[in-house]
Amino acid sequence: MSGQWNMTVRPEPFWLEEVFACMNYVHMLDSEEWMNKNGSWSRRQKEEFLVPYRSYRGAMRARLQPILEQYSLLGGYVDSVPRERESLRSYEPPMMSFLKQMQSVLEAEEHPSEEELEKTLNEAFQRMLDSDLQKSPDAGDPVIRGLSDVMAALEGWEGSDADKFKLLRLYSERREVMEQLWSLQGPAGEIGRDCLRYVQERYDACMEKLRKQEEVESLLNAVGLNCGENSIGQITPAVMLYDQIMVQIREFDRNAGVFQTNLHLGLETFYLYQSRQEDLFNDERLLAGLKALSDPTRLKILHLLVERPCYLQEMAKELELTPATVLHHLGLLMSQALIEIQVTTEKKKVYYRVNRQGLEEVSQGILQLELTREEREEQVQEELRKQSRNAHAGEHFQTWTM
């Protein structure tokens, strides 16, 4: 894996992000998609595994509800009812996206000047509206200097009317919202640290892994995250991301065109990756891989990515589908490690490409059907040894700080 590994691991989650993840109904704990994902587990096992997270979310919601009533503007950015038939991999509430963009400003020891804040806010909305997920494939790159620019950019946006309205409202109230978010940070952190006890065991296990650079390097290699020439900046542990890794690309040196990649990493990412390795070549793993391949759209995506790496908008245009639909299928392919991603400096885009090792595992799983149990176990061990060698063949972290 190329790139610079100058990584800082945050000692705790970004609590404002946890607040809105818990208060919104759109997250992985309510996802049938997640329930249908990890094929080697029974539904009962999955339900039991989610109990601590549901307890954490319930406690956070109970404590936060009366507090949010004191912040009239912020309460308007909470989805109070579940969204039906919405893929969680293809939707992020506007406030969640805004928080990720403004995290460094919100957590800075000193507030920026009025001029600096306005510039930062406009840049944040520019990045939000430039999202490959929601922007029409034919839309140009937005330049935000005022409300009229936001309105113009939303004309090429494929989000719902409700989300467009929320983005317009968020931009109009951006300064007042920032003031309320700054004020909410203290109570959010206090409540979050107290409720963390519901998932403390899972949290401690994740942080123990994050302290070992070889563990993180192995994980990122395994999930196919290649950051190219970008530097790896900060990892934020995230309770409500569960088993996802969210990639955030930030400009590090504007003059040199250098970007930094920050990661928000769900607590269960390591555990579920390890479980996946232990399930190598078993029948449930094979069935999950075959299910991911048993869709004509996903096969078209694979055929396209075999030819060349593509970014989301490019695939949506080629397949004549919405970016959200394509992302849904990409999520299913990535859940079985059949594709991987590469972050590039070219317009800060995320490119997708075929993971040939993942496809080989499915084909080997089919060939395993003619082997005895002893022969299968020996082949699994050999494959794990091979993956371990590959994981440590690339560059190692240059610096690592907690």
Side-chain angles (χ1 to χ4, degrees):
M1 182 178 291
S2 59
Q4 300 176 356
W5 294 85
N6 302 307
M7 192 176 294
T8 300
V9 179
R10 286 173 52 96
E12 61 181 20
F14 177 30
W15 291 117
L16 286 174
E17 180 182 40
E18 293 292 319
V19 164
F20 282 90
C22 288
M23 296 307 295
N24 279 289
Y25 274 92
V26 183
H27 46 66
M28 293 305 294
L29 298 191
D30 292 329
S31 174
E32 280 299 315
E33 181 179 319
W34 188 88
M35 284 294 183
N36 293 329
K37 196 168 64 171
N38 308 289
S40 61
W41 287 10
S42 69
R43 187 177 183 90
R44 181 177 177 180
Q45 286 176 306
K46 294 173 185 177
E47 291 282 1
E48 290 176 351
F49 202 67
L50 290 174
V51 167
Y53 289 91
R54 288 178 170 153
S55 298
Y56 166 82
R57 183 189 66 176
M60 288 279 282
R61 287 174 64 87
R63 297 273 299 275
L64 288 165
Q65 189 67 55
I67 292 178
L68 278 177
E69 291 175 0
Q70 303 172 30
Y71 296 88
S72 56
L73 290 181
L74 300 184
Y77 298 99
V78 171
D79 283 341
S80 58
V81 295
R83 290 185 170 231
E84 296 181 0
R85 299 183 299 278
E86 187 101 38
S87 168
L88 298 183
R89 292 184 178 273
S90 62
Y91 172 75
E92 183 174 52
M95 178 57 76
M96 297 292 289
S97 180
F98 181 73
L99 287 170
K100 287 185 175 66
Q101 297 296 336
M102 298 302 294
Q103 179 177 351
S104 60
V105 179
L106 286 164
E107 296 190 321
E109 292 185 5
E110 295 184 3
H111 292 190
S113 66
E114 290 290 317
E115 183 178 349
E116 291 171 336
L117 178 59
E118 183 64 15
K119 179 182 178 182
T120 303
L121 285 166
N122 282 333
E123 290 175 347
F125 275 89
Q126 191 164 302
R127 289 190 294 269
M128 290 165 64
L129 292 166
D130 197 30
S131 164
D132 280 348
L133 172 59
Q134 301 288 9
K135 191 174 69 173
S136 167
D138 297 320
D141 297 334
V143 176
I144 304 301
R145 293 177 295 265
L147 185 60
S148 60
D149 295 322
V150 175
M151 296 175 68
L154 286 174
E155 291 182 5
W157 228 57
E158 296 189 343
S160 68
D161 289 342
D163 286 336
K164 289 180 181 180
F165 176 77
K166 280 188 178 180
L167 273 169
L168 281 172
R169 178 184 169 190
L170 183 56
Y171 186 81
S172 300
E173 300 173 341
R174 60 195 181 280
R175 289 176 176 272
E176 295 87 349
V177 166
M178 284 296 293
E179 290 296 334
Q180 291 200 4
L181 288 172
W182 272 316
S183 176
L184 180 60
Q185 268 195 129
E190 182 180 342
I191 292 172
R193 293 180 195 101
D194 185 47
C195 293
L196 196 62
R197 68 182 187 274
Y198 291 100
V199 291
Q200 193 69 55
E201 185 178 344
R202 311 281 178 86
Y203 185 81
D204 292 343
C206 177
M207 294 305 292
E208 184 179 353
K209 294 281 189 182
L210 285 175
R211 293 186 184 98
K212 301 175 182 177
Q213 49 186 313
E214 67 277 5
E215 293 276 5
V216 179
E217 187 174 27
S218 178
L219 172 68
L220 298 185
N221 273 294
V223 300
L225 179 59
N226 187 326
C227 295
E229 298 305 315
N230 301 302
S231 65
I232 306 298
Q234 179 176 263
I235 286 185
T236 299
V239 179
M240 295 302 292
L241 272 184
Y242 194 62
D243 65 341
Q244 295 184 89
I245 298 177
M246 300 293 288
V247 179
Q248 184 182 27
I249 310 169
R250 305 301 294 270
E251 205 161 30
F252 187 69
D253 186 335
R254 183 171 300 181
N255 295 328
V258 177
F259 302 97
Q260 177 176 284
T261 303
N262 296 329
L263 307 176
H264 291 241
L265 187 141
L267 300 189
E268 299 300 341
T269 310
F270 284 105
Y271 180 84
L272 293 176
Y273 160 63
Q274 181 182 343
S275 298
R276 179 178 172 81
Q277 296 307 102
E278 293 171 354
D279 290 340
L280 195 65
F281 301 146
N282 71 14
D283 290 347
E284 290 81 4
R285 175 82 172 271
L286 175 60
L287 287 170
L290 292 174
K291 184 177 180 180
L293 293 170
S294 63
D295 181 273
T297 299
R298 292 195 282 276
L299 288 178
K300 288 179 183 178
I301 290 173
L302 287 173
H303 287 312
L304 186 60
L305 296 182
V306 164
E307 297 296 327
R308 68 186 189 280
C310 298
Y311 57 92
L312 180 60
Q313 294 279 0
E314 191 177 6
M315 283 185 279
K317 191 170 185 178
E318 184 84 16
L319 298 170
E320 298 182 344
L321 297 170
T322 66
T325 298
V326 175
L327 191 63
H328 167 76
H329 289 291
L330 290 172
L332 293 174
L333 291 170
M334 287 195 70
S335 72
Q336 299 305 315
L338 299 173
I339 60 174
E340 56 189 12
I341 64 175
Q342 180 174 17
V343 180
T344 72
T345 57
E346 181 190 347
K347 292 187 178 181
K348 300 175 283 185
K349 289 191 179 298
V350 173
Y351 279 80
Y352 297 83
R353 61 188 183 188
V354 165
N355 180 5
R356 296 183 184 276
Q357 179 179 309
L359 289 173
E360 287 174 6
E361 288 179 8
V362 175
S363 62
Q364 288 177 27
I366 295 174
L367 294 175
Q368 287 270 326
L369 297 174
E370 66 178 8
L371 301 180
T372 66
R373 177 177 296 180
E374 184 177 340
E375 290 171 331
R376 289 200 303 272
E377 290 177 353
E378 175 56 34
Q379 190 162 339
V380 168
Q381 293 305 315
E382 177 56 35
E383 180 64 23
L384 291 175
R385 288 192 291 269
K386 174 184 173 183
Q387 292 183 12
S388 179
R389 291 193 298 269
N390 291 340
H392 292 87
E395 293 185 26
H396 291 275
F397 300 90
Q398 294 178 350
T399 54
W400 185 265
T401 56
M402 290 292 292

